[in-house]
Amino acid sequence: MVGERVTERLPENWRWIVTTRAAVGLALLVALLSVATGILRIDQAAADFGPLAPHVPVAVQNAVGFTGALTGFLMLGSVLALRRGLRAGWWATLLLLPLTAVQGLLQASSYSLPLVVLSVVSMPTLLLTRRRFDRSLSLTTTQLAAGGALVGVQAYGTFGAYALREDFDGIEHLLDAFYFTLITSSTVGYGDIGPTTEIAQLFTMSVVVLGVASFGIAIGALVGPAIQARISKTLGIMTDSELELLENHVLVLGYGDLTEPIVTELADADEQFLVVTRDETAASELSERDIRVLSGNPSDEGPLERAKIKSARTVLVATNNDAEDALAVLTARELRPDVRIVTAATDRENTAKLERAGADDVISLAELGGHLLVRSALGSDESPVVSRLLESE
């Protein structure tokens, strides 16, 4: 009985929540262990014990320490993507888990054994929760171009420096060329590798100019929107790039107790909609629920124009204040004369006023509630509407 009561109190998607959080939690532990063991074994010269030691080159064992920490930091990035439900994060984590396990084996110390075990255990958990992470990672054309430019410049510098290795002091291998390109384009310039001819000097200058430009563009295009989106989500607002994607959407003006069922119904129906409210607390809460929201006064022209009322399919206005609703309806009607506007009147006497403001349909909540209650009491209403309303209360 006790177990049944506890199960009834749990949300309907509790299994989804538990398995998803388990996958994210295990991946996070693997990331932290990988960083910790990588730091502890960063000075490893050879494996301390284990059957792998005679078969692994010393150069690989020397690099296991810092590469283990690097893999851990990459895993932290994939965990953040998992937390957002991104399919790209799932694939990245799936590829990194075998790598962390192999690095733990190569480190071959008592510190790395938990890393190996946890990496192996996390793999089936991640595979079982594959359907949980279905959100796509959408990159704009600018972001793709910026990433391509960054990779292209590094490839240009690496292969160019290797081709001109006779004109440089210190480039013998392809790794030397990549090292030279990276420190040159990032303006670090240790000076351990330098050009010895005019051709090499001109090539180095081109790498500096292109490298600085590509790094700047990449940071602005790739990192900038992520920071802007995070700040916008914290403040409960939408970015301009997100607003541009709205088309044929439902515009909900204002937010209150009457608006919450509307938002829930639209979300359950998977409709594209946007809420405009000047309540910053409500905007932040809606944003945390992944509901599109724009902070602003719904009776002002600016927020409605940003909310793309010109391309909206319909407008819904239902708050606890009929006066504010009338102003929002009036503004919406002036900006878009042909759009359908539906509103609710908390006071039955304000129905005519809302109609004069420009609403196509005005629903009197008092009349509607009384009508439904009477029909339900007389047994003439077989629909589950009243039952659903009472259950929600």
Side-chain angles (χ1 to χ4, degrees):
M1 294 294 294
V2 177
E4 292 179 357
R5 291 178 181 177
V6 173
T7 305
E8 290 177 357
R9 293 181 180 179
L10 293 174
E12 296 181 358
N13 61 339
W14 67 271
R15 290 185 178 86
W16 182 89
I17 296 174
V18 171
T19 54
T20 302
R21 290 184 177 179
V24 175
L26 287 173
L28 179 60
L29 288 176
V30 171
L32 295 177
L33 278 175
S34 182
V35 173
T37 55
I39 293 175
L40 289 173
R41 302 297 298 165
I42 199 168
D43 60 342
Q44 174 177 319
D48 293 338
F49 67 94
L52 293 176
H55 307 288
V56 179
V58 177
V60 175
Q61 296 185 28
N62 291 338
V64 165
F66 71 84
T67 56
L70 178 61
T71 305
F73 285 115
L74 292 176
M75 180 71 78
L76 287 175
S78 68
V79 169
L80 293 177
L82 280 179
R83 182 67 180 81
R84 297 176 55 190
L86 296 175
R87 177 53 59 88
W90 185 88
W91 279 108
T93 307
L94 187 64
L95 295 175
L96 288 173
L97 282 176
L99 187 58
T100 56
V102 170
Q103 287 179 331
L105 290 173
L106 293 179
Q107 289 170 349
S109 70
S110 56
Y111 302 107
S112 62
L113 290 180
L115 174 62
V116 177
V117 174
L118 198 59
S119 298
V120 174
V121 171
S122 301
M123 292 180 196
T125 304
L126 193 67
L127 291 173
L128 291 174
T129 57
R130 181 176 183 272
R131 295 182 179 179
R132 305 287 192 267
F133 308 97
D134 54 358
R135 296 183 61 183
S136 60
L137 178 63
S138 57
L139 296 176
T140 64
T141 305
T142 303
Q143 291 173 327
L144 292 174
L150 181 61
V151 173
V153 169
Q154 297 305 306
Y156 160 75
T158 300
F159 292 109
Y162 182 73
L164 297 174
R165 60 186 178 276
E166 300 296 334
D167 299 319
F168 284 90
D169 181 18
I171 296 181
E172 297 180 358
H173 308 287
L174 198 61
L175 180 61
D176 297 331
F178 178 72
Y179 167 76
F180 163 77
T181 303
L182 186 61
I183 64 173
T184 302
S185 59
S186 60
T187 69
V188 175
Y190 293 120
D192 50 346
I193 298 178
T196 58
T197 64
E198 292 183 357
I199 295 178
Q201 289 177 346
L202 292 173
F203 175 76
T204 302
M205 286 189 290
S206 69
V207 172
V208 171
V209 174
L210 294 176
V212 172
S214 64
F215 269 108
I217 294 173
I219 292 175
L222 299 176
V223 181
I227 297 175
Q228 182 186 9
R230 186 60 185 174
I231 295 175
S232 299
K233 187 174 183 180
T234 302
L235 298 177
I237 58 177
M238 291 183 66
T239 61
D240 291 334
S241 58
E242 291 174 328
L243 290 172
E244 291 177 358
L245 300 177
L246 291 175
E247 190 74 26
N248 197 33
H249 57 290
V250 178
L251 196 56
V252 181
L253 302 184
Y255 185 79
D257 294 336
L258 298 179
T259 320
E260 177 58 28
I262 296 175
V263 171
T264 304
E265 192 75 19
L266 290 172
D268 292 341
D270 200 23
E271 291 284 348
Q272 184 176 220
F273 68 98
L274 170 66
V275 180
V276 180
T277 176
R278 59 182 176 183
D279 188 342
E280 295 183 358
T281 302
S284 179
E285 293 175 354
L286 290 172
S287 182
E288 289 295 330
R289 292 162 52 188
D290 291 332
I291 293 175
R292 298 182 182 90
V293 59
L294 178 65
S295 292
N297 191 339
S299 60
D300 289 344
E301 295 182 1
L304 297 191
E305 290 177 347
R306 288 196 64 207
K308 297 188 67 175
I309 190 174
K310 297 294 185 181
S311 60
R313 181 173 58 181
T314 187
V315 176
L316 293 176
V317 186
T319 67
N320 300 338
N321 192 318
D322 290 344
E324 293 183 357
D325 289 352
L327 290 176
V329 170
L330 182 62
T331 305
R333 179 58 68 198
E334 290 180 352
L335 294 177
R336 180 80 183 280
D338 60 331
V339 72
R340 179 176 175 78
I341 301 177
V342 180
T343 184
T346 55
D347 191 343
R348 183 170 54 180
E349 297 178 354
N350 293 328
T351 302
K353 298 178 182 178
L354 289 168
E355 290 177 348
R356 287 196 297 269
D360 294 298
D361 286 328
V362 180
I363 299 174
S364 174
L365 299 179
E367 292 181 358
L368 177 62
H371 178 69
L372 290 175
L373 288 174
V374 170
R375 288 177 62 86
S376 179
L378 297 178
S380 58
D381 186 6
E382 298 180 356
S383 67
V385 175
V386 176
S387 299
R388 289 175 58 188
L389 292 175
L390 294 177
E391 287 177 1
S392 64
E393 290 295 331

